[in-house]
């Protein structure tokens, strides 16, 4: 019996209709065996015919349980149950999030595969028939998935085996000849391969994007480090400068106090000397007073008359009428403050020189854009010089061109970072310089203020300088600049103007909000009959050693 048991396999007891182990096995007159419920359901919708040999029965046969097969199946189930019990301890029990075996009763084991034909997930034990039975080996097995019923066509209860490219949906074989017969469709595998290739391309693109962002992160981190180094350097320089200024102030205050105290001591010594002289004179006068008093009391006529001439005259004394003890402190503090101001000016000049050297490191090559130039402007062939002529040229009125103001923009635009350029303004009586937004209004009346996208300064009447903020800010310069440097820090919202020759800061717009591309802006203004015909010249930036000036 044990030998017979060893020869049994599950495929000997499978119903050819449900492909499961027999339940209530019955035999047809032709000798084939089926589950009682399976054959009855089959005959309910079909003519009485054997599903195995196709033998047709004139009348529906009366079916009885095959007791022999039923007993053998029962024994097989018992053995299988024992085998399952012994192997279940070796297999993993399904955990939350894992696909369970659909066949296991009681404790559900983890499914190893799902069958797209049977629409069932199997553990290792229940998967065995699909690995050994020839008719089941043709079934498509995949990694275990849930909701296998979603892979069945809801209209025809058939597997979704095709992809309709026209409707971009999944269909079964019946759908392809009924509802989608005029559509283009392909096997799921073909569409799968195409989409898989697209996903691989997408994955490559995503990885490239990830790499770019990692590089950007590194760039930002490097920038933070650079900024920290810059901040540390600025703090160190600031501490050094303010310490020097504080020491200078302390020295000035010490010198002031010392000077005042020395004057006070000199005055006290002078006063003591005057007092000593006065006390000596008082002593002499008191002695004379005593002599005069004694002589006036004398009754000796001859003696009085003889002494009278020498006592009548006052003793020789100093004329104290114009003598004053009044030290002069006027101007002492003013002179000390003036000296301090001179020291501060020297230190300030050093700071501006250092700052100008730093911003000059961000020099860019700027050329004038003829497509933006007002028709009266005359540009040099190299795009580095511009002045205003008397004749308005006939040029295309393209959207970029200024139509009323004699202005021109630089070709280059900037939407991040820092940039710097220099313009020679020597010999001009009027000019406008700065930067503008790319989207500024260039037709009709132009308002040159930050609100409308302009950050500029100008010269009028030969010596009147103004920063064109919301309201013009008058700039009091010691001397007119011959070359103006323009520096922009886009992220910081800063626009600064420098007198390059004097290494002096002219004006800074701070707290600006830039959201558009910025262009260098130039206006040589009208030539006023030749008085202002000198051109604006964009100069190459050369770092100057001001210590030699």
């Amino acid at each position: 019996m044990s030998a017979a048991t060893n020869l049994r396999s599950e495929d000997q007891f499978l119903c050819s209709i449900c492909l499961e182990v027999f339940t209530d096995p019955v035999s047809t007159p032709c000798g084939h065996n089926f589950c009682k419920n399976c054959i009855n359901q089959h005959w309910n919708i079909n003519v009485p015919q054997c599903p195995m040999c196709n033998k047709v029965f004139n009348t529906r046969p009366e079916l009885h349980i095959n007791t022999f097969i039923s007993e053998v199946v029962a024994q097989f189930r018992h053995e299988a149950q024992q085998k399952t019990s012994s192997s279940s301890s070796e297999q993993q029990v399904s955990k939350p999030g894992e696909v369970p075996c659909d066949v296991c009763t009681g404790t559900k084991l983890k499914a190893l595969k799902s069958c797209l034909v049977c629409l069932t997930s199997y553990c290792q034990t229940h998967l065995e028939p699909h690995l050994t039975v020839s008719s089941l080996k043709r079934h498509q097995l995949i990694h275990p998935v849930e909701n296998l019923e979603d892979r069945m066509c809801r209209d025809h209860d058939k597997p979704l085996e095709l992809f309709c490219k026209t409707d971009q949906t999944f269909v079964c074989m019946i759908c392809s000849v009924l509802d989608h017969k005029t559509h283009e469709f392909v096997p799921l595998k073909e569409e799968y391969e195409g989409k898989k290739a697209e996903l691989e391309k997408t994955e490559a693109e995503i990885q490239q994007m990830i790499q770019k962002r990692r590089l950007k992160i590194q760039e930002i981190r490097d920038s933070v480090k650079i900024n920290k180094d810059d901040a540390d350097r600025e703090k160190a320089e600031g501490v050094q400068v303010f310490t020097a200024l504080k020491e200078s102030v302390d020295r000035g205050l010490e010198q002031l106090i010392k000077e005042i105290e020395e004057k006070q001591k000199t005055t006290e010594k002078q006063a003591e000397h005057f007092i000593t002289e006065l006390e000596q004179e008082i002593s002499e006068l008191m002695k004379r007073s005593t002599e005069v008093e004694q002589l006036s009391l004398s009754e000796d006529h001859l003696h009085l008359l003889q002494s009278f001439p020498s006592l009548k005259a006052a003793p020789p004394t100093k004329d104290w009428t114009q003598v004053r003890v009044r030290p002069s402190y006027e101007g002492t503090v003013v002179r000390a403050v003036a000296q301090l101001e001179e020291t501060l000016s020297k230190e300030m000049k050093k700071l501006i020189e250092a700052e100008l050297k730093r911003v000059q490191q961000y020099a860019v090559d700027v050329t004038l854009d003829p497509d933006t130039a007002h028709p009266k402007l005359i540009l040099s062939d190299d795009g580095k010089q511009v002045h205003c002529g008397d004749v308005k040229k006939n040029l295309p009125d393209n959207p970029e061109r200024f139509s009323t103001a004699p202005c021109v923009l630089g070709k280059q635009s900037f939407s991040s970072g820092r940039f710097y350029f220099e313009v020679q303004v020597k010999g001009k009586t009027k000019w406008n310089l700065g930067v503008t937004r790319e989207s500024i209004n260039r037709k009709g009346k132009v308002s040159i203020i930050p609100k409308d996208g302009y950050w500029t300064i100008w010269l009028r009447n030969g010596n009147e300088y103004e920063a064109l903020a919301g309201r013009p800010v008058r700039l009091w310069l010691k001397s007119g600049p011959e070359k103006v440097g323009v520096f922009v820090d886009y992220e910081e919202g800063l626009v600064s103007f420098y007198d390059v020759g004097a290494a002096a800061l002219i004006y800074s717009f701070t707290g600006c909000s830039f959201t558009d591309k910025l262009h260098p802006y130039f206006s040589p203004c009208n030539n006023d009959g030749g008085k202002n015909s000198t051109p604006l010249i964009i100069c190459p930036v050369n770092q100057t050693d001001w210590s030699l000036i």
Side-chain angles (χ1 to χ4, degrees):
M1 182 65 183
S2 67
T5 301
N6 292 337
L7 293 175
R8 288 196 199 99
S9 63
E10 190 172 354
D11 58 338
Q12 296 173 294
F13 308 107
L14 295 181
C15 170
S16 60
I17 297 177
C18 68
L19 299 178
E20 297 288 346
V21 176
F22 289 124
T23 302
D24 296 330
V26 295
S27 299
T28 59
C30 58
H32 293 110
N33 302 305
F34 306 95
C35 295
K36 183 178 180 180
N37 188 49
C38 291
I39 191 63
N40 282 329
Q41 287 185 353
H42 180 72
W43 285 347
N44 285 340
I45 59 176
N46 298 291
V47 298
Q49 183 180 20
C50 176
M52 292 292 290
C53 65
N54 295 326
K55 179 177 178 58
V56 179
F57 305 106
N58 295 328
T59 60
R60 182 166 176 167
E62 184 178 356
L63 300 174
H64 301 280
I65 299 295
N66 188 323
T67 55
F68 173 75
I69 295 179
S70 181
E71 291 176 359
V72 175
V73 168
Q75 179 64 27
F76 176 79
R77 287 184 183 278
H78 177 70
E79 294 173 356
Q81 183 64 36
Q82 289 181 334
K83 182 179 179 182
T84 300
S85 299
S86 62
S87 63
S88 63
S89 59
E90 301 175 1
Q91 299 184 54
Q92 295 182 358
V93 176
S94 176
K95 299 176 182 178
E98 295 179 339
V99 179
C101 176
D102 294 329
V103 182
C104 287
T105 58
T107 302
K108 295 282 189 179
L109 298 181
K110 177 182 176 182
L112 295 183
K113 294 289 183 180
S114 293
C115 178
L116 296 181
V117 178
C118 303
L119 297 179
T120 305
S121 297
Y122 300 102
C123 65
Q124 180 178 350
T125 300
H126 295 115
L127 181 64
E128 187 66 24
H130 279 75
L131 303 177
T132 58
V133 179
S134 58
S135 60
L136 298 179
K137 287 182 179 179
R138 293 191 295 268
H139 291 191
Q140 184 177 357
L141 298 176
I142 61 173
H143 290 294
V145 295
E146 295 181 316
N147 303 323
L148 285 167
E149 61 274 8
D150 292 342
R151 298 172 178 268
M152 296 292 288
C153 176
R154 299 184 184 277
D155 295 331
H156 307 107
D157 199 28
K158 296 292 182 183
L160 298 172
E161 301 177 294
L162 302 173
F163 181 76
C164 178
K165 298 179 76 69
T166 304
D167 291 342
Q168 292 292 298
T169 187
F170 307 102
V171 297
C172 68
M173 294 297 294
I174 297 177
C175 291
S176 67
V177 297
L178 294 178
D179 304 331
H180 300 260
K181 62 182 178 180
T182 61
H183 294 179
E184 179 185 1
F185 52 86
V186 296
L188 284 183
K189 184 176 182 181
E190 181 178 331
E191 186 66 18
Y192 161 83
E193 296 294 341
K195 290 295 188 287
K196 185 178 180 181
E198 290 184 21
L199 287 177
E200 290 174 353
K201 181 179 178 181
T202 301
E203 172 65 11
E205 292 174 352
I206 292 173
Q207 289 299 325
Q208 188 176 13
M209 293 171 66
I210 291 173
Q211 184 62 23
K212 287 182 178 179
R213 279 150 183 78
R214 284 175 177 165
L215 291 175
K216 179 57 70 174
I217 289 174
Q218 188 60 44
E219 178 185 330
I220 293 173
R221 284 175 177 165
D222 292 342
S223 177
V224 169
K225 184 179 183 303
I226 293 172
N227 288 337
K228 184 180 182 303
D229 293 341
D230 290 344
D232 291 342
R233 185 184 66 251
E234 287 292 323
K235 285 191 290 186
E237 290 182 0
V239 170
Q240 181 181 357
V241 169
F242 276 87
T243 299
L245 292 177
K246 183 176 180 298
E247 291 174 353
S248 178
V249 171
D250 291 342
R251 285 196 301 271
L253 177 59
E254 183 181 352
Q255 184 66 31
L256 173 65
I257 293 173
K258 182 179 179 181
E259 182 179 346
I260 293 173
E261 289 177 347
E262 288 178 351
K263 285 186 176 182
Q264 182 183 5
K265 287 179 182 179
T266 300
T267 301
E268 289 175 354
K269 288 182 179 180
Q270 188 180 36
E272 289 175 0
H273 176 71
F274 288 155
I275 290 171
T276 300
E277 286 189 49
L278 287 169
E279 288 177 344
Q280 290 176 352
E281 289 188 2
I282 290 172
S283 178
E284 292 292 330
L285 290 171
M286 290 179 66
K287 180 179 179 182
R288 177 65 63 91
S289 175
T290 300
E291 292 176 353
V292 169
E293 182 181 1
Q294 290 176 353
L295 183 61
S296 65
L297 295 175
S298 176
E299 294 180 356
D300 187 342
H301 300 163
L302 178 63
H303 175 68
L304 187 150
L305 292 173
Q306 289 176 338
S307 301
F308 178 79
S310 60
L311 295 177
K312 177 184 178 182
T317 58
K318 184 176 180 178
D319 183 5
W320 295 94
T321 305
Q322 302 299 324
V323 175
R324 297 286 186 274
V325 179
R326 187 181 299 168
S328 176
Y329 298 112
E330 289 80 0
T332 305
V333 176
V334 173
R335 288 192 299 274
V337 172
Q339 181 64 39
L340 179 60
E341 182 180 8
E342 183 180 350
T343 302
L344 290 174
S345 296
K346 291 179 180 179
E347 292 297 326
M348 189 66 182
K349 182 175 175 60
K350 292 179 182 178
L351 288 176
I352 297 297
E353 288 174 357
E355 178 180 335
L356 189 52
K357 284 184 179 180
R358 284 198 296 271
V359 301
Q360 284 178 332
Q361 297 175 4
Y362 300 98
V364 294
D365 185 17
V366 175
T367 53
L368 302 171
D369 185 358
D371 291 337
T372 66
H374 184 275
K376 289 181 70 175
L377 294 184
I378 300 173
L379 278 60
S380 62
D381 293 338
D382 62 359
K384 297 294 185 179
Q385 300 186 27
V386 57
H387 68 279
C388 190
D390 295 320
V391 179
K392 189 174 182 180
K393 299 187 291 292
N394 185 18
L395 297 175
D397 188 21
N398 50 285
E400 297 83 8
R401 191 179 305 283
F402 288 93
S403 63
T404 56
C407 312
V408 61
L409 300 183
K411 286 183 179 180
Q412 293 72 22
S413 65
F414 306 89
S415 56
S416 64
R418 302 168 180 171
F419 63 94
Y420 174 85
F421 60 94
E422 292 179 353
V423 182
Q424 181 176 306
V425 297
K426 181 180 179 181
K428 295 192 66 60
T429 58
K430 293 181 182 179
W431 49 258
N432 243 44
L433 285 177
V435 293
T436 67
R437 286 199 304 255
E438 189 173 72
S439 58
I440 55 170
N441 176 34
R442 310 183 190 197
K443 308 297 181 184
K445 186 177 181 180
V446 176
S447 179
I448 310 177
I449 57 176
K451 179 182 176 183
D452 293 330
Y454 292 81
W455 293 269
T456 66
I457 61 173
W458 73 12
L459 166 67
R460 292 294 183 269
N461 301 321
N463 60 0
E464 296 176 6
Y465 297 89
E466 290 182 339
L468 304 183
R471 293 181 179 178
V473 178
R474 187 68 182 269
L475 305 175
W476 302 97
L477 307 182
K478 291 183 178 180
S479 60
E482 295 184 353
K483 187 185 294 184
V484 176
V486 183
F487 172 70
V488 176
D489 187 327
Y490 195 97
E491 284 75 19
E492 188 69 20
L494 173 70
V495 181
S496 294
F497 299 86
Y498 297 89
D499 180 343
V500 178
L505 177 66
I506 298 175
Y507 186 78
S508 288
F509 291 92
T510 58
C512 308
S513 179
F514 302 132
T515 57
D516 197 357
K517 291 181 179 179
L518 297 180
H519 287 262
Y521 169 85
F522 310 86
S523 176
C525 299
N526 295 324
N527 65 7
D528 291 340
K531 296 179 181 178
N532 189 41
S533 60
T534 304
L536 291 176
I537 304 174
I538 301 172
C539 306
V541 176
N542 298 312
Q543 290 200 5
T544 306
D545 186 354
W546 284 278
S547 63
L548 301 177
I549 297 179

